[in-house]
């Protein structure tokens, strides 16, 4: 059983940066992936980035590749999303998520993540 608490959202001008954090709590924490997703009003949740918790391999949506960086601190059970060169189209509620312990290749699918943070608003102004 995992609980995820997010922080770090806010309002920023285009070209700026934000660092999002997601801290996990619980008796045990051993996901296969930790991921970031985002959802704008009227749109479906979309994949942003994921990291293999044990090995550290990272994966990114094409829309954020080269601008966003996902990282983790295993000792603190925390995953981060560094967002740089933000654009107005990045405006959304950002969610962190934890997968089960079992291996999968579909790190980009929200259905593979049973544990979710409550989300944090990122607003990018032009």
């Amino acid at each position: 059983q995992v609980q995820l608490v997010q922080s770090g959202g806010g309002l920023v001008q285009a070209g700026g940066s934000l660092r999002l954090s997601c801290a996990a709590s619980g008796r045990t924490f051993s996901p296969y992936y930790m991921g970031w997703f985002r959802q704008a009003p009227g749109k479906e949740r979309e994949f942003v980035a994921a990291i293999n918790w044990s090995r550290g391999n990272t994966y990114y949506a094409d829309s954020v590749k080269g601008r966003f960086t996902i990282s983790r601190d295993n000792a603190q059970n925390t995953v981060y999303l560094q967002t740089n060169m933000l654009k107005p189209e990045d405006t959304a509620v950002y969610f962190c998520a934890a997968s089960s312990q079992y291996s999968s290749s579909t790190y980009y699918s929200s259905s593979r993540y049973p544990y979710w943070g409550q989300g944090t608003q990122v607003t990018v102004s032009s």
Side-chain angles (χ1 to χ4, degrees), residues 60-104:
Y60 298 94
D62 289 342
S63 60
V64 306
K65 194 173 298 181
R67 299 188 297 122
F68 292 8
T69 303
I70 187 171
S71 61
R72 92 288 202 222
D73 184 339
N74 301 72
Q76 296 295 123
N77 291 340
T78 301
V79 65
Y80 304 94
L81 186 69
Q82 178 68 46
T83 67
N84 299 322
M85 302 170 63
L86 284 162
K87 307 173 181 179
E89 52 262 45
D90 294 317
T91 296
V93 177
Y94 283 69
F95 298 89
C96 66
S99 77
S100 74
Q101 64 181 309
Y102 301 110
S103 173
S104 75

Side-chain angles (χ1 to χ4, degrees), residues 104-115:
S104 75
S105 60
T106 53
Y107 53 82
Y108 50 83
S109 176
S110 61
S111 65
R112 305 300 299 178
Y113 295 82
Y115 309 108

Side-chain angles (χ1 to χ4, degrees), residues 26-48:
R27 188 167 60 191
T28 184
F29 186 66
S30 59
Y32 197 81
Y33 296 111
M34 288 289 290
W36 288 95
F37 294 77
R38 66 188 182 186
Q39 188 167 22
K43 298 180 63 177
E44 293 187 20
R45 194 168 299 174
E46 67 173 345
F47 168 75
V48 176

Side-chain angles (χ1 to χ4, degrees), residues 2-6 21-25 29 31 34-35 77 79 95-99 113-119:
V2 176
Q3 292 181 323
L4 305 177
V5 179
Q6 299 181 223
S21 299
C22 175
S25 63
F29 186 66
M34 288 289 290
N77 291 340
V79 65
F95 298 89
C96 66
S99 77
Y113 295 82
Y115 309 108
W116 292 84
Q118 289 192 315

